[in-house]
Amino acid sequence: MSELVPGGNMPLPGGILTLRVPGPFDVSALITDDSGKVRGDGDFVFYNQPTAPGARLQGEHLTIDLLGLRAGASRVTVVVSPADPATPLGHLPPPTLHVTAPGDRPLARFTPPRPQRETLLLLAELYRRGTTWKLRALGQGYADGLAGIARDFGVEVTEDDPTPTAAPGAIRGATPGGTPGAIPSGGVPDTDGFLGLVNSARAAAGSPPVSLDARLAAAARAHASAMAARGLLGSESPDGFSVYQRVTSAGYPYLTVGEHLVSGPRTPAEFVEYCLSAEQSRRTLCDPVFSQAGLAYVADGRSGDLYWTALWARPLSSAGLARTATEVVALTNAERTTAGLRPLSVDPLLTTAAQAHSADMVARAFYSHTSPEGSQPWDRAAAAGCTHGSIGENIACGQRSPAEVVRGWMNSPGHRANILKPDFTHIGIGLAGGGKAGTYWTQLFGG
């Protein structure tokens, strides 16, 4: 699965594609030709007109049959707006687009930067080049509402309230809620002093401050609610849904994540004090790698006990992913140097195969060198174009840093043997967060 950044693109397979944007959003689509204009009002797919040739909108799911689009169609622009027009986009978590191929095979995920004053986003576009269709991530803000962008694409739109004072985009008869108030950069009011307490402790430890993030807060609340409903602390719900999966389901792809799951404290001050009382929990709260946080607490209706979830994370970025992989390579080569072996060179093809395997383990909820359809490490390396005669693979899950994962591999005889195998000359690293156990790591060797 590809993690796209604004402007990033990828080829699309044949068959029916499903595009999903979970959360409090409306998804719309505009089907156009090379001119960028619709042929008629029927090319605008939205909640009041959920179908068009080759396109169908059902809740948060938009299905696109590229071969079934009307004649001349060469572009489908995916638009997202608040489900409640009275809520500015800037008050909601950034929408995350999930794209899957037939058979629910994940293809791509894209989370744009947080909107500010925009009333909707052009999230992505599917476009044709010759006989090939591609997906491009956009994340382009638009200030004139759904009605405005429909007009710009050539759709005839009648407002519910045609008076000049009608708010742009209020096409459901609601009035936007005015200017946002003073809110931290994550979009979550710090109403209970939690952020100040945390950042004071982090400053004392020499760590940079964190900001609150609405997506992390939503994931924390969902998990705290699940624990309170059971009256039991745990990283998984009875259905097996883990706290890490809640984070990505809330639209927060992460590079690294940590958590505190606690019951008993009655106030944020007591909670922070508890987290600082033991070495391991203090290390998580003060870890300099984290840049954002979310907190929630929910009472057990039977006992009255409060169940707390605090989430700490750094958001995924292409630069952060590359830095983390580079650090894993450096630590691996340090072990080889200590053993008197030559360092490994990074192979982009091995990297591609390793990253794809980590993402696949997260997306399809398995943990194995053998994929559900039976492919092995050497099969995946060959599919990526590698020509190495010898292939080896290490995998791991749950570790939160390059140092932790390399240390774990070196403490395991089989994994250590791969790292210190003299015949290997090249390496590729992959990692993906959001699985049941957190982050899934792949180390692929070639020689």
Side-chain angles (χ1 to χ4, degrees), residues 374-386:
S375 69
Q376 301 288 339
W378 42 89
D379 299 320
R380 295 188 288 271
C386 296

Side-chain angles (χ1 to χ4, degrees), residues 386-403:
C386 296
T387 58
H388 297 291
S390 177
I391 295 292
E393 182 180 78
N394 287 342
I395 59 175
C397 63
Q399 295 81 5
R400 295 175 180 173
S401 70

Side-chain angles (χ1 to χ4, degrees), residues 293-371:
L295 174 74
Y297 49 94
V298 176
D300 179 344
R302 295 153 299 192
S303 67
D305 291 341
L306 294 183
Y307 283 77
W308 298 74
T309 298
L311 295 170
W312 317 88
R314 176 173 290 275
L316 180 68
S317 67
S318 56
L321 189 66
R323 280 195 307 271
T324 304
T326 297
E327 190 173 346
V328 174
V329 172
L331 291 168
T332 299
N333 280 334
E335 298 290 350
R336 288 179 64 87
T337 299
T338 299
L341 300 171
R342 296 184 63 181
L344 304 171
S345 300
V346 174
D347 184 330
L349 299 178
L350 288 174
T351 299
T352 297
Q355 182 61 39
H357 188 55
S358 286
D360 192 29
M361 287 191 290
V362 168
R364 295 200 282 174
F366 74 97
Y367 178 64
S368 174
H369 295 289
T370 305
S371 70

Side-chain angles (χ1 to χ4, degrees), residues 228-246:
R230 296 177 66 196
L232 184 67
L233 292 172
S235 62
E236 290 185 14
S237 301
D239 60 1
F241 201 57
S242 78
V243 65
Y244 314 109
Q245 291 169 309
R246 292 190 192 281

Side-chain angles (χ1 to χ4, degrees), residues 47 84-88 117-120 142-149 151 157-179:
Y47 50 84
D84 177 5
T87 303
R117 297 181 180 275
E118 296 91 341
T119 55
L120 59 78
Y142 202 89
D144 197 22
L146 193 57
I149 197 159
R151 288 195 192 93
V157 177
T158 301
E159 293 278 10
D160 290 345
D161 182 353
T163 62
T165 57
I171 59 179
R172 282 186 169 178
T175 302
T179 304

